[in-house]
């Protein structure tokens, strides 16, 4: 890419006026940009395939650890205490990756989609180990953040294998395209993943057009690769799929009042989850090797408490909620209000502990908790199931992600034909939750940016010295 790309303002801010727009228009017509589009399409193929098999590996390990391994050691099924050693092992592996591998296993998920640029080749193993241990062993986090980081890192590595002196702007756009390709089908649609990255990166104006086109192209190619590999391998989909819900015609005045209530309740609950996660992280980071396994023990205890209290599977508390959300909605009539409230409480606390010390994405647990809370509220007069679920998902997502547009889309596009009907309610719930969350925050908040395309306009300088990690205190200190 030519130096014209430097017209994009650092940090992804607004364009610098008409000159930036003219530069962007000229760049769109240039041969260099066409070559960049071709590169994005080519890179999208292997990265999306790698993302597909990564997600399949996570699913295979989950089934092996929680279903096959108990039988292999002579047990008829996983006993109620089974999550205890598994989650402690997760804490040991993730703590070791954070402490001893370059890059600290990736960024802390309690910060949202944090900036930092693509991982270097030396940091990719740490991101991979921490993500696999987190996701495969039942920690309450999703795969989207590791996929964004791995996609960006692999894309930059692939380009630098062919050319050492990759221009700064080209490397940034390629990293963004890799992130787009990696999560292209994770949310069931490449548009949802692309919009998430676009809003999280804070891009706008001329910069948005320059970066979004290669990213969308890579996402489209990646989505086709996901579909093709599903058909070819027969391993099944790795995308979020929600079941058909009862038809919903149009909202009424009572449901708009419920949208305000849902927004306020989500802001309070989500802010409490984030506050607890930040408090715990400050302590876990001081004794990573000791306290990350303790955090895993706490997550397992919450899952066991829910299972014993309701007679249901502890897996509803464990994991990200990506695969559990469909059965929850499909069988919502079989849950009592007490069971749903206990599920929200246990999952929320486990989510908070997971955010404090493990490595993964914050999206799917927020969606699951919002959906469970919406189902519980739908038992009250004036709130049907579909708008309750949609508003719960959107409001909880905006509290945890601080991305209002993405939260509205997540809550509506996933509901298919019901989505358009509930969108006005979701918008109100999301806006109320967003504003109340800002009021509950201890100080001025800034919109987090993505680990993938956050560095599109100005990638992080990996050669600069980094702050030293906090020294780990002796266990007796």
């Amino acid at each position: 890419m030519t130096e014209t790309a430097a017209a994009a303002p650092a940090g992804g801010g607004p364009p610098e006026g008409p000159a930036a727009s003219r530069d962007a228009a000229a760049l769109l017509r240039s041969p260099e940009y066409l070559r960049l589009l071709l590169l994005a399409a080519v890179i999208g193929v292997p990265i999306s395939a790698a993302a597909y098999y990564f997600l399949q590996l996570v699913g295979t390990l989950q089934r092996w650890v929680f279903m096959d391994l108990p039988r292999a050691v002579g047990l008829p099924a996983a006993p109620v205490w089974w999550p205890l050693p598994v989650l402690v092992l997760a804490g040991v592996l993730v703590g070791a990756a954070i402490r001893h591998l370059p890059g600290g296993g990736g960024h802390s998920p309690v910060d949202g989609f944090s900036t930092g640029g693509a991982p270097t080749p030396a940091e990719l193993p740490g991101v991979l180990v921490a993500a696999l241990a987190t996701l495969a062993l039942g920690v309450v986090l999703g795969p989207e953040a590791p996929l964004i980081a791995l996609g960006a890192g692999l894309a930059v590595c692939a380009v630098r294998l062919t050319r050492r002196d990759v221009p700064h702007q080209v490397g940034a756009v390629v990293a963004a395209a890799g992130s787009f390709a990696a999560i292209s089908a994770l949310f069931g649609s490449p548009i949802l993943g692309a919009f998430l990255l676009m809003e999280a990166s804070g891009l706008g104006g001329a910069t948005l057009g320059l970066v979004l086109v290669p990213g969308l192209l890579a996402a489209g190619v990646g989505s086709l690769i996901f579909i093709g590999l599903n058909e070819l391998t027969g391993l099944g989909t790795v995308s979020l799929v929600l079941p058909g819900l009862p038809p919903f015609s149009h909202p009424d005045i009572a449901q708009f009042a419920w949208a305000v209530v849902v927004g306020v309740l989500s802001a309070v609950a989500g802010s409490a989850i984030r506050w607890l996660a930040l408090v715990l992280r400050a302590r876990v980071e001081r004794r990573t090797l000791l306290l990350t396994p303790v955090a895993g023990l706490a997550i397992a205890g919450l899952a066991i408490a829910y299972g014993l209290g309701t007679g249901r599977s502890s897996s509803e508390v464990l994991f990200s909620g990506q695969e559990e959300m469909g059965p929850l909605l499909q069988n919502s009539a079989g849950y009592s209000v007490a069971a749903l409230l206990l599920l929200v409480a246990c999952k929320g606390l486990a989510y908070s502990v997971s955010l404090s010390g493990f490595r993964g994405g914050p999206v799917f647990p927020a969606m699951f908790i919002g959906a469970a809370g919406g189902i519980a509220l739908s038992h009250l007069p004036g709130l049907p199931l579909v708008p309750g679920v949609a508003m719960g998902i959107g409001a909880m997502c905006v509290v945890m992600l601080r991305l209002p547009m993405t939260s509205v889309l997540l809550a509506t596009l996933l509901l298919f034909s019901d989505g358009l009907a509930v969108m006005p309610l979701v918008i109100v719930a999301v806006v109320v939750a967003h504003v109340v969350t800002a009021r509950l925050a201890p100080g001025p908040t800034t919109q987090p940016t993505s680990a993938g395309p956050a560095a599109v306009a100005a990638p992080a300088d990996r050669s600069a010295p980094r702050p030293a990690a906090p020294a780990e205190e002796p266990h007796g200190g």
Side-chain angles (χ1 to χ4, degrees):
M1 184 180 291
T2 65
E3 290 302 316
T4 310
E16 297 176 359
S21 298
R22 287 195 299 271
D23 289 342
L27 182 58
L28 284 171
R29 295 191 296 267
S30 67
E32 291 88 348
Y33 193 74
L34 292 178
R35 286 195 290 269
L36 184 61
L37 289 177
L38 178 61
L39 179 62
V42 171
I43 284 178
V45 174
I47 289 179
S48 57
Y52 176 86
Y53 284 111
F54 171 81
L55 293 172
Q56 291 289 356
L57 175 60
V58 168
T60 299
L61 289 174
Q62 288 175 348
R63 290 186 291 272
W64 182 78
V65 170
F66 287 91
M67 297 175 64
D68 298 340
L69 184 58
R71 290 194 289 268
V73 297
L75 299 170
V80 67
W81 51 262
W82 188 258
L84 292 172
V86 173
L87 270 296
V88 170
L89 176 61
V92 171
L93 295 175
V94 174
I98 293 172
R99 191 68 190 164
H100 296 301
L101 295 179
H107 78 279
S108 174
V110 74
D111 295 324
F113 290 101
S114 296
T115 186
T120 64
E123 293 170 344
L124 283 175
V127 173
L128 181 62
V129 169
L132 279 177
T134 293
L135 301 174
L137 299 180
V139 179
V140 188
L141 291 171
E144 67 280 358
L147 282 178
I148 289 170
L150 290 169
L154 290 173
V156 173
C157 288
V159 172
R160 288 180 177 169
L161 284 175
T162 60
R163 181 180 175 185
R164 292 286 182 181
D165 57 336
V166 178
H168 215 47
Q169 291 82 7
V170 172
V173 175
V174 166
S179 295
F180 275 65
I183 65 166
S184 58
L186 186 60
F187 297 100
S189 165
I191 293 296
L192 278 174
F195 202 93
L196 170 67
L197 294 179
M198 180 186 72
E199 188 179 17
S201 67
L203 294 173
T207 306
L208 172 60
L210 293 176
V211 176
L212 186 58
V213 174
L216 283 175
L217 180 59
V221 171
S223 187
L224 290 175
I225 296 299
F226 268 65
I227 294 171
L229 289 174
N230 282 339
E231 296 292 333
L232 181 64
T233 64
L235 294 175
T237 180
V238 289
S239 305
L240 176 63
V241 178
L242 298 184
L245 294 174
F248 178 75
S249 57
H250 59 82
D252 57 29
I253 297 300
Q255 291 160 17
F256 276 102
W258 271 114
V260 176
V261 173
V262 171
V264 173
L265 292 177
S266 299
V268 173
S271 296
I273 289 172
R274 182 184 295 276
W275 172 82
L276 179 59
L278 289 169
V279 170
L280 293 175
R281 183 178 68 172
R283 289 157 175 76
V284 171
E285 285 183 342
R286 289 200 292 265
R287 299 182 178 181
T288 304
L289 295 178
L290 173 65
L291 293 184
T292 309
V294 172
L297 194 64
I299 296 167
L302 289 164
I304 292 171
Y306 170 76
L308 293 176
T310 62
R312 295 185 174 274
S313 173
S314 61
S315 65
E316 294 180 6
V317 171
L318 300 176
F319 309 110
S320 69
Q322 178 185 356
E323 294 186 5
E324 292 75 20
M325 197 181 312
L328 172 70
L329 297 178
Q330 203 161 23
N331 304 311
S332 59
Y335 287 78
S336 67
V337 174
L340 289 167
L341 293 178
L342 185 60
L343 176 58
V344 170
C346 291
K347 187 84 170 184
L349 288 171
Y351 181 31
S352 189
V353 176
S354 301
L355 288 168
S356 70
F358 291 87
R359 296 295 185 259
V363 177
F364 289 109
M367 295 178 66
F368 185 94
I369 293 169
I375 295 171
L377 289 175
S378 71
H379 287 265
L380 296 173
L383 182 61
L385 173 67
V386 171
V389 168
M391 290 188 293
I393 290 175
M396 187 58 69
C397 282
V398 78
V399 175
M400 301 309 298
L401 305 180
R402 312 294 174 89
L403 303 174
M405 295 293 290
T406 297
S407 299
V408 170
L409 288 179
L410 281 171
T412 54
L413 293 186
L414 291 174
L415 295 180
F416 303 107
S417 59
D418 291 332
L420 289 178
V422 299
M423 183 176 286
L425 298 173
V426 173
I427 291 173
V428 173
V430 166
V431 170
V432 170
H434 195 43
V435 172
V436 174
T437 300
R439 297 298 298 269
L440 293 175
T445 58
T446 56
Q447 180 170 296
T449 51
S450 164
V456 164
D461 184 1
R462 291 281 177 176
S463 63
R466 296 184 171 204
E472 189 158 315
E473 297 176 2
H475 292 171

